[in-house]
Amino acid sequence: MAKTVAVIGAGVSGLTSIKACLEEGLEPTCFEQSSDIGGLWRFTEKVEEDRASIYNSVVTNSSKEMSCFSDFPMPDDFPNFLHNSKFLQYLRMYAAHFELLKYIRFKTKVICLEKNQDSSVPGQWILVAERDGKQESFIFDAAMICTGHQIEAYVPLASFPGIEKFKGTYLHSRNYKSPERFHEKTVVIVGMGNSAADIAVEICRKAKKVILSTRGGSWVMSRVADNGYPWDTIFHSRFADVTRNYLPWLFLQWMTEQKMNQWFDHENYGLVPRNRSLMKEPVFNDDLPSRILCGAVTVKPIVQEFTETSAVFEDGTVEEKVDAVIFATGYSVAFPFLEKSVIKVEDNRVPLYKHVFPPQLEKPTLAVIGLIQPLGPIMPTSELQARWATRVFKELSTLPSESIMVADTVKRSKKRIKWFGTSRSQSIQTNFIEYLDELAASFGAKPNLLWLLLKDPKLALTMFFGPCTPFQFRLVGPGKWAGARDAILTQKERIIKPTKTRVVDSSSCHTIFTFLKILSVLALFAAVFLSLVQH
Ligand code: NAP
């Protein structure tokens, strides 16, 4: 049975993996190449080699009640969508509260992770790490790779003939930090993911002209949903999920399209996805339609060719005097330190059992945490993956045979293509609640709603019709948290608190409005009565 665990990376997935190890009585040692925690969420002015890089303005696109860890709600005064610095603050609070920092070796880069062939204990790993130019070797019973999937920039230069002749500057969105350098410039942004849209709306306030060039288009959603609630607290309810799963496929596609076009007609804005029926990860951007409406951003099809100074688009139109091109074309999955034969990445697809375990290992002692793009937030997803993985390390949960695991990855991949399509950007995409339930069921943390309906109907109904918040996975099973019920029943208050910063005495207003309504109905009746009498 595993005892010592190497955790590689101290971002969202790394921190929750350390905690999951501690909960199971394992001994984690976390290796973090930089000098601080936070991973992707720790903004730096300079791009650091081998580390994810974000721009200054990044704000989460999943809300705080959905994105928190399951036994650590965010403070009620935190906004619903958090600036990266605020999210980092939350991660610092989490690390401090659960005393995780002492398990992290900072400025220590993992150079190599390979199977220990000499071991009399199968499943062990040799890890070589470097600090201050000195290498050290360790042996671990298990390892958790928590390095994410947004480090290696994907720049498909071969798809853009003429780019080598282009005399302006070009860069990947990973190298974009802030809009100042694009002052009065004509900028072409390639791609239609969240990075492309964010950068376009930010740059267009400084630049002379911004062209958003997309081959596949995308649905664009607002962070603000029905009645002003954060989008994911409405979209990710169990009720909505069951409805989506049981609706006939064609009807669901039609309904999705109607819903997406409710805010603005995507066809009229040139954004409509090429395959509009897919549930491909939408873009969350409240400003993009408005910027297009104001002429500050122009949407164009994909660039067919670059010349020294211009971009020629697929529809034959040409943009002259282009100063800069930003390739917001996504990332490639990579494990530079891992023994090659352990995980084979093909066309950005990673064949892992339930997105976590390589199926071919002699013993399941290697888990990849957070290498996934759920339709919902990554934080609770990584957390459940880590909780399950540590149970497997301890042999308290077992995995099926290799052939069953391989068959499962094939089946999962087919389902992914049906729902999200074949685009490279969707290669690790998955649905949300169904996946969380599946992970939780693997180690006994999935709540039983029918049983709860008898025992605690108020809680069961909130869980079914309200947002499927992470606390739902701390009600039963290993890692059960006594505060989970209360956290679920008070989540709505925490959502409303940061927006309801001006409180009006609504009772007197309501009374006046009700009185006025009654008065106008009476007046209407009187008018009808008088007109009938007069005739
Ligand atoms: P992405 O989601 O992978 O999108 C890449 C885009 O590039 C897609 O539109 C793709 O088009 C396009 N593309 C790729 N290869 C291309 C080619 N050869 N020619 C033309 N277009 C090409 O990358 P991202 O926007 O950087 O986002 C990465 C992840 O970070 C996502 O999960 C995203 O949600 C997340 N993110 C979050 C935030 C936030 O929380 N605020 C901000 C930014 C990013 P096709 O779709 O047609 O393939």
Side-chain angles (χ1 to χ4, degrees), residues 143-407:
M144 299 170 97
I145 300 180
C146 309
T147 46
H149 50 94
Q150 290 175 35
I151 295 179
E152 198 171 299
Y154 173 64
V155 196
L157 292 185
S159 310
F160 298 94
I163 189 71
E164 68 289 348
K165 286 183 270 173
F166 180 62
K167 286 194 165 154
T169 49
Y170 66 86
L171 58 143
H172 185 265
S173 54
R174 169 178 158 78
N175 298 92
Y176 171 82
K177 289 287 172 183
S178 60
E180 285 74 29
R181 66 187 272 206
F182 300 98
H183 186 71
E184 283 303 308
K185 303 273 193 255
T186 297
V187 187
V188 173
I189 299 168
V190 179
M192 189 54 224
N194 279 296
S195 300
D198 273 358
I199 295 172
V201 300
E202 185 166 74
I203 284 189
C204 75
R205 300 204 179 260
K206 300 262 177 210
K208 182 153 82 186
K209 200 166 182 186
V210 171
I211 294 119
L212 189 54
S213 163
T214 169
R215 72 173 168 193
S218 178
W219 295 120
V220 178
M221 283 175 69
S222 169
R223 285 181 170 85
V224 189
D226 309 352
N227 292 320
Y229 284 100
W231 76 271
D232 49 357
T233 62
I234 305 289
F235 188 88
H236 289 307
S237 73
R238 287 182 180 277
F239 171 69
D241 210 48
V242 168
T243 313
R244 280 191 291 271
N245 284 338
Y246 286 99
L247 280 179
W249 182 245
L250 282 176
F251 183 69
L252 175 68
Q253 288 174 334
W254 176 82
M255 210 179 78
T256 306
E257 197 173 329
Q258 300 307 305
K259 187 79 187 154
M260 293 295 178
N261 278 324
Q262 223 170 36
W263 185 25
F264 67 94
D265 186 329
H266 283 62
E267 210 163 316
N268 291 347
Y269 281 61
L271 290 169
V272 70
R274 193 156 48 188
N275 192 342
R276 57 183 77 191
S277 61
L278 296 173
M279 303 291 265
K280 199 177 142 189
E281 187 190 33
V283 162
F284 293 93
N285 202 298
D286 292 88
D287 300 332
L288 186 62
S290 145
R291 297 285 82 210
I292 295 171
L293 211 52
C294 298
V297 173
T298 308
V299 180
K300 290 259 192 182
I302 201 63
V303 178
Q304 205 167 42
E305 182 188 3
F306 286 101
T307 70
E308 286 188 356
T309 53
S310 64
V312 183
F313 297 92
E314 205 178 35
D315 59 0
T317 55
V318 180
E319 187 62 45
E320 302 285 0
K321 293 186 185 161
V322 175
D323 297 296
V325 180
I326 301 177
F327 290 100
T329 40
Y331 293 85
S332 296
V333 173
F335 307 100
F337 49 81
L338 183 64
E339 183 183 331
K340 288 279 168 293
S341 62
V342 178
I343 301 174
K344 289 198 180 96
V345 181
E346 271 175 37
D347 202 17
N348 223 35
R349 282 176 282 116
V350 199
L352 297 172
Y353 177 59
K354 293 192 184 176
H355 300 277
V356 176
F357 286 101
Q360 282 89 0
L361 291 178
E362 196 183 340
K363 272 191 90 184
T365 53
L366 179 73
V368 183
I369 308 298
L371 186 63
I372 191 162
Q373 218 168 260
L375 262 186
I378 184 82
M379 303 78 185
T381 312
S382 287
E383 186 188 30
L384 271 176
Q385 287 181 331
R387 288 172 66 194
W388 173 47
T390 47
R391 300 286 294 174
V392 173
F393 293 163
K394 281 200 76 177
E395 295 170 15
L396 295 168
S397 283
T398 47
L399 299 187
S401 68
E402 182 183 329
S403 60
I404 291 180
M405 288 196 274
V406 171

Side-chain angles (χ1 to χ4, degrees), residues 481-497:
W481 173 48
R485 181 182 187 274
D486 189 50
I488 294 167
L489 295 178
T490 52
Q491 62 203 12
K492 195 171 167 189
E493 288 157 33
R494 285 190 303 279
I495 294 172
I496 294 171
K497 172 96 188 273

